PDB file of all heavy atoms in Angstrom:
ATOM      1  N   LEU A 161     244.938 263.361 142.746  1.00 92.00           N
ATOM      2  CA  LEU A 161     246.374 263.088 142.658  1.00 92.00           C
ATOM      3  C   LEU A 161     246.679 261.607 142.880  1.00 92.00           C
ATOM      4  O   LEU A 161     246.101 260.971 143.765  1.00 92.00           O
ATOM      5  CB  LEU A 161     247.132 263.897 143.716  1.00 92.00           C
ATOM      6  CG  LEU A 161     246.884 265.404 143.774  1.00 92.00           C
ATOM      7  CD1 LEU A 161     247.768 266.037 144.834  1.00 92.00           C
ATOM      8  CD2 LEU A 161     247.133 266.049 142.411  1.00 92.00           C
ATOM      9  N   ASP A 162     247.596 261.068 142.062  1.00 90.00           N
ATOM     10  CA  ASP A 162     248.080 259.723 142.344  1.00 90.00           C
ATOM     11  C   ASP A 162     249.255 259.820 143.318  1.00 90.00           C
ATOM     12  O   ASP A 162     249.620 260.914 143.773  1.00 90.00           O
ATOM     13  CB  ASP A 162     248.453 258.982 141.055  1.00 90.00           C
ATOM     14  CG  ASP A 162     249.611 259.624 140.292  1.00 90.00           C
ATOM     15  OD1 ASP A 162     250.401 260.386 140.908  1.00 90.00           O
ATOM     16  OD2 ASP A 162     249.737 259.353 139.081  1.00 90.00           O
ATOM     17  N   TYR A 163     249.864 258.676 143.633  1.00 88.00           N
ATOM     18  CA  TYR A 163     250.899 258.671 144.671  1.00 88.00           C
ATOM     19  C   TYR A 163     252.081 259.576 144.313  1.00 88.00           C
ATOM     20  O   TYR A 163     252.552 260.364 145.138  1.00 88.00           O
ATOM     21  CB  TYR A 163     251.395 257.243 144.918  1.00 88.00           C
ATOM     22  CG  TYR A 163     252.527 257.174 145.910  1.00 88.00           C
ATOM     23  CD1 TYR A 163     252.282 257.248 147.273  1.00 88.00           C
ATOM     24  CD2 TYR A 163     253.854 257.062 145.470  1.00 88.00           C
ATOM     25  CE1 TYR A 163     253.324 257.210 148.199  1.00 88.00           C
ATOM     26  CE2 TYR A 163     254.898 257.016 146.382  1.00 88.00           C
ATOM     27  CZ  TYR A 163     254.628 257.098 147.745  1.00 88.00           C
ATOM     28  OH  TYR A 163     255.662 257.071 148.645  1.00 88.00           O
ATOM     29  N   ASN A 164     252.576 259.468 143.093  1.00 89.00           N
ATOM     30  CA  ASN A 164     253.735 260.268 142.701  1.00 89.00           C
ATOM     31  C   ASN A 164     253.419 261.758 142.711  1.00 89.00           C
ATOM     32  O   ASN A 164     254.243 262.580 143.147  1.00 89.00           O
ATOM     33  CB  ASN A 164     254.219 259.847 141.307  1.00 89.00           C
ATOM     34  CG  ASN A 164     254.869 258.479 141.316  1.00 89.00           C
ATOM     35  OD1 ASN A 164     255.466 258.079 142.320  1.00 89.00           O
ATOM     36  ND2 ASN A 164     254.753 257.748 140.219  1.00 89.00           N
ATOM     37  N   GLU A 165     252.226 262.112 142.238  1.00 92.00           N
ATOM     38  CA  GLU A 165     251.829 263.527 142.258  1.00 92.00           C
ATOM     39  C   GLU A 165     251.672 264.017 143.688  1.00 92.00           C
ATOM     40  O   GLU A 165     252.124 265.108 144.038  1.00 92.00           O
ATOM     41  CB  GLU A 165     250.520 263.704 141.486  1.00 92.00           C
ATOM     42  CG  GLU A 165     250.671 263.479 139.982  1.00 92.00           C
ATOM     43  CD  GLU A 165     249.336 263.295 139.280  1.00 92.00           C
ATOM     44  OE1 GLU A 165     248.329 262.976 139.963  1.00 92.00           O
ATOM     45  OE2 GLU A 165     249.304 263.448 138.046  1.00 92.00           O
ATOM     46  N   ASP A 166     251.046 263.201 144.513  1.00 88.00           N
ATOM     47  CA  ASP A 166     250.805 263.587 145.909  1.00 88.00           C
ATOM     48  C   ASP A 166     252.116 263.783 146.660  1.00 88.00           C
ATOM     49  O   ASP A 166     252.271 264.734 147.438  1.00 88.00           O
ATOM     50  CB  ASP A 166     249.956 262.517 146.593  1.00 88.00           C
ATOM     51  CG  ASP A 166     249.657 262.838 148.042  1.00 88.00           C
ATOM     52  OD1 ASP A 166     248.867 263.753 148.291  1.00 88.00           O
ATOM     53  OD2 ASP A 166     250.234 262.170 148.926  1.00 88.00           O
ATOM     54  N   SER A 167     253.073 262.875 146.446  1.00 86.00           N
ATOM     55  CA  SER A 167     254.331 262.954 147.189  1.00 86.00           C
ATOM     56  C   SER A 167     255.176 264.155 146.763  1.00 86.00           C
ATOM     57  O   SER A 167     256.032 264.613 147.523  1.00 86.00           O
ATOM     58  CB  SER A 167     255.129 261.657 147.005  1.00 86.00           C
ATOM     59  OG  SER A 167     255.451 261.443 145.637  1.00 86.00           O
ATOM     60  N   GLY A 168     254.927 264.683 145.556  1.00 88.00           N
ATOM     61  CA  GLY A 168     255.696 265.837 145.099  1.00 88.00           C
ATOM     62  C   GLY A 168     254.916 267.137 145.079  1.00 88.00           C
ATOM     63  O   GLY A 168     255.394 268.149 144.549  1.00 88.00           O
ATOM     64  N   ALA A 169     253.722 267.149 145.681  1.00 91.00           N
ATOM     65  CA  ALA A 169     252.855 268.333 145.609  1.00 91.00           C
ATOM     66  C   ALA A 169     253.335 269.442 146.532  1.00 91.00           C
ATOM     67  O   ALA A 169     253.799 269.190 147.652  1.00 91.00           O
ATOM     68  CB  ALA A 169     251.425 267.951 145.965  1.00 91.00           C
ATOM     69  N   GLU A 170     253.202 270.684 146.028  1.00 92.00           N
ATOM     70  CA  GLU A 170     253.487 271.840 146.899  1.00 92.00           C
ATOM     71  C   GLU A 170     252.327 272.086 147.853  1.00 92.00           C
ATOM     72  O   GLU A 170     252.508 272.619 148.946  1.00 92.00           O
ATOM     73  CB  GLU A 170     253.705 273.099 146.064  1.00 92.00           C
ATOM     74  CG  GLU A 170     254.909 273.048 145.132  1.00 92.00           C
ATOM     75  CD  GLU A 170     254.507 272.837 143.686  1.00 92.00           C
ATOM     76  OE1 GLU A 170     253.737 273.648 143.137  1.00 92.00           O
ATOM     77  OE2 GLU A 170     254.970 271.842 143.116  1.00 92.00           O
ATOM     78  N   LEU A 171     251.135 271.710 147.415  1.00 91.00           N
ATOM     79  CA  LEU A 171     249.941 271.814 148.257  1.00 91.00           C
ATOM     80  C   LEU A 171     249.077 270.601 147.992  1.00 91.00           C
ATOM     81  O   LEU A 171     248.861 270.215 146.849  1.00 91.00           O
ATOM     82  CB  LEU A 171     249.141 273.086 147.927  1.00 91.00           C
ATOM     83  CG  LEU A 171     247.812 273.220 148.700  1.00 91.00           C
ATOM     84  CD1 LEU A 171     248.064 273.640 150.132  1.00 91.00           C
ATOM     85  CD2 LEU A 171     246.873 274.202 148.027  1.00 91.00           C
ATOM     86  N   ASP A 172     248.587 269.993 149.067  1.00 91.00           N
ATOM     87  CA  ASP A 172     247.751 268.798 148.950  1.00 91.00           C
ATOM     88  C   ASP A 172     246.460 269.056 149.700  1.00 91.00           C
ATOM     89  O   ASP A 172     246.481 269.449 150.867  1.00 91.00           O
ATOM     90  CB  ASP A 172     248.490 267.599 149.548  1.00 91.00           C
ATOM     91  CG  ASP A 172     247.650 266.341 149.539  1.00 91.00           C
ATOM     92  OD1 ASP A 172     246.753 266.227 148.691  1.00 91.00           O
ATOM     93  OD2 ASP A 172     247.898 265.472 150.396  1.00 91.00           O
TER      94      ASP A 172
END
Side-chain angles (χ1 to χ4, degrees):
L161 308 183
D162 64 21
Y163 176 79
N164 289 329
E165 291 165 341
D166 180 71
S167 61
E170 297 104 58
L171 176 76
D172 177 26

